[in-house]
Amino acid sequence: MTKHLPAPTLRAEEADAPRRPGWWRDAVIYQVYPRSFADADGDGMGDLAGVRSRLPYLRDLGVDAVWLSPFYASPQADAGYDVSDYRVVDPMFGDLADAEGLIADAHALGLRVIVDLVPNHASDQHTWFRQALREGPGSPLRGRFHFRPGRGGSGELPPNDWESIFGGPAWTRTADPDGTPGEWYLHLFAPEQPDFNWDSPAVADEFRSVLRFWLDLGADGFRIDVAHGMVKAAGLPDIGVHDQIRLLGNDVLPFFDQDGVHEIYRDWRRILDEYGTDPETRRIAVAEAWTPTVERTANYLRRDELHQAFNFQYLGTPWDAAALRAAVDASLDSMRPVGAATTWVLSNHDVVRHLTRLGRGDDEQDLRRARAATLLMLALPGSAYLYQGEELGLPEVLDLPDAARQDPAFHRARGTEAEGQEGLRDGCRVPLPWSGSAAPYGFGPVEGGPSWLPQPAEWAKLGVEAQTGDHGSTLELYRAALSARRGHPALGAGEAVEWLEAPEGVLCFRRARVDGVFACTVNTTSAPVTLPAPGRMLLPYPGRGDRGRGRGRAAGRHDRLVGLLTWRQLPCGWLISPCRPE
């Protein structure tokens, strides 16, 4: 099928629309999962020294900021999301000097650093919680968590019917100091992660102090874990009949997305603004907020609240042109009224890597589709988040042995109806391959050294060293695309796209400014589509297996080419394709 795209015309209102200031509005932010990024001391666990050593790689990749998953003191019941001390670096990752050095090194390389903050829950080894258990009912420390008497004749039943996100009840019964059964405490995640009670002034005061601690050390912002979960509905009401709560769901629930969270974020915004309001140096906060709708997500981004929120509705959109277009429109439309930049994300440490999630089990086609999805994401207006290893084309590891798995959701769900439902997060957390032909592929300093999760043998060919300089590799595609995104005036920040006519299953849109015009075309079908490409290829980028084909063609077959093209009438556009002839 052939369709001719209309020649673009530059609308005055588009061309003259001013870019709103703020470094985060078009930033590409790279998530580092420290235990799986780089291991400097050879113990099989990634660390901050390893991250520091690889910061030049991230600069050269072309990202603007690094988001570090938790590295605080923790018993590691949930990979560091169970924090026992928010001002101490866990020894497995290094010490506070390593964190300060990492931030300083990143700044010297032109990278900003966003640290993870976990305010919904702590570790059961947190000083407050341990003291609350020791002191028993009536302890003032119990007011900082959700302790409740049980139901039933002798309190043997949980206080309500809430379930843990990781499976099983969301309540665990304690023993009183004399050894008798006592009160229950709430944990929306693992039993080792008791939820804070944000009605307690002491909790609010503590996190104000934690924010200032890391801001004083130079952090450029915070990613707020479970940002939608800190406030619970009054009285902790029952849910009633309900399917197993999913980690990444968007159900309406009495413990998620309560309106009271917004007062917390107004308070935090005032603290962030104490550190300056210059748009190019401003400290920011990013919400991990799973909400029922993108409109609810926008509530977190009102002008006196947070700066960004992850766009999980987009992440969950299938590889379908109509669904993608609807998600893009809904995302942009919902952010416009609050003046916030839209974010785009395909993978993170909690979901199946998008190469596997969007794929169909054909390695070559799945890689093409993943590349196309990334280039589509980078072409959209706003900020983009990358997850470590996606630039290498890493798939999800689906065959980890049970004995190696460490995700608490996997272990809690075994033997229940929810078995396997959310137990797959380890598969996206396997340590990265950097170099060499034998495990741990440069993740650690010694060939044959340990790795906290086993790496597939086929990852040797996906390492950074193997892909660097290979112009058909996924890594070089990311480098080229990020360079083009940074350099083209119509890419990055923005609030809208103009959809162009295209065949069914194909997305085509344009972004225009007075100093440049950009077009993006994506074929989401499994069949070739032929469309006119009105110009020459500015940055030819064949997919793997197609090296050298299609350079300088006046008309592009979207089943073969991945790259940039130049309009004859106006500066440039982007051609994206995951497919090739069957």
Side-chain angles (χ1 to χ4, degrees), residues 124-212:
D124 62 353
Q125 299 304 302
H126 192 285
T127 301
W128 287 0
F129 191 77
R130 294 176 67 185
Q131 184 176 343
L133 290 180
R134 285 196 307 269
E135 294 179 353
S139 167
L141 273 297
R142 293 205 171 197
R144 301 178 186 184
F145 301 92
H146 293 277
F147 281 89
R148 295 290 188 276
R151 297 190 291 194
S154 57
E156 72 277 9
L157 299 177
N160 66 21
D161 65 357
W162 294 2
E163 290 183 324
S164 164
I165 307 303
F166 290 161
W171 296 90
T172 291
R173 196 172 193 185
T174 65
D176 286 340
D178 63 2
T180 59
E183 295 179 319
W184 298 70
Y185 69 88
L186 176 68
H187 52 86
L188 291 179
F189 294 87
E192 298 87 354
Q193 296 169 288
D195 279 42
F196 283 116
N197 177 9
W198 273 86
D199 289 334
S200 166
V203 172
D205 287 344
E206 168 67 358
F207 277 92
R208 292 186 191 104
S209 175
V210 169
L211 288 172
R212 290 191 171 98

Side-chain angles (χ1 to χ4, degrees), residues 89-136:
V89 173
D90 194 284
M92 76 159 54
F93 297 122
D95 56 27
L96 198 57
D98 290 314
E100 290 184 272
L102 190 158
I103 293 171
D105 288 356
H107 288 169
L109 293 170
L111 297 169
R112 293 178 170 87
V113 177
I114 295 171
V115 298
D116 222 315
L117 189 65
V118 189
N120 178 72
H121 48 263
S123 165
D124 62 353
Q125 299 304 302
H126 192 285
T127 301
W128 287 0
F129 191 77
R130 294 176 67 185
Q131 184 176 343
L133 290 180
R134 285 196 307 269
E135 294 179 353

Side-chain angles (χ1 to χ4, degrees), residues 456-471:
E458 56 269 23
W459 278 21
K461 63 185 179 183
L462 298 178
V464 173
E465 182 179 72
Q467 295 195 44
T468 295
D470 176 356
H471 294 292

Side-chain angles (χ1 to χ4, degrees), residues 428-486:
C428 67
R429 300 174 177 183
V430 175
L432 298 190
W434 291 92
S435 60
S437 58
Y441 309 114
F443 168 67
V446 179
E447 187 173 297
S451 169
W452 74 278
L453 283 174
Q455 301 154 296
E458 56 269 23
W459 278 21
K461 63 185 179 183
L462 298 178
V464 173
E465 182 179 72
Q467 295 195 44
T468 295
D470 176 356
H471 294 292
S473 71
T474 302
L475 176 58
E476 293 296 350
L477 173 61
Y478 268 73
R479 287 171 171 164
L482 291 171
S483 176
R485 187 181 190 276
R486 184 187 294 268

Side-chain angles (χ1 to χ4, degrees), residues 31-116:
Q31 180 188 359
V32 166
Y33 194 69
R35 60 169 48 205
S36 298
F37 191 68
D39 171 21
D41 61 12
D43 66 355
M45 188 70 66
D47 44 45
L48 295 185
V51 177
R52 287 182 72 180
S53 72
R54 299 294 188 178
L55 288 174
Y57 164 78
L58 297 179
R59 175 202 58 197
D60 295 343
L61 181 62
V63 301
D64 301 291
V66 178
W67 152 34
L68 295 168
S69 290
F71 50 82
Y72 311 112
S74 166
Q76 303 296 318
D78 184 23
Y81 284 92
D82 51 317
V83 180
S84 57
D85 193 326
Y86 291 85
R87 299 175 184 82
V88 173
V89 173
D90 194 284
M92 76 159 54
F93 297 122
D95 56 27
L96 198 57
D98 290 314
E100 290 184 272
L102 190 158
I103 293 171
D105 288 356
H107 288 169
L109 293 170
L111 297 169
R112 293 178 170 87
V113 177
I114 295 171
V115 298
D116 222 315

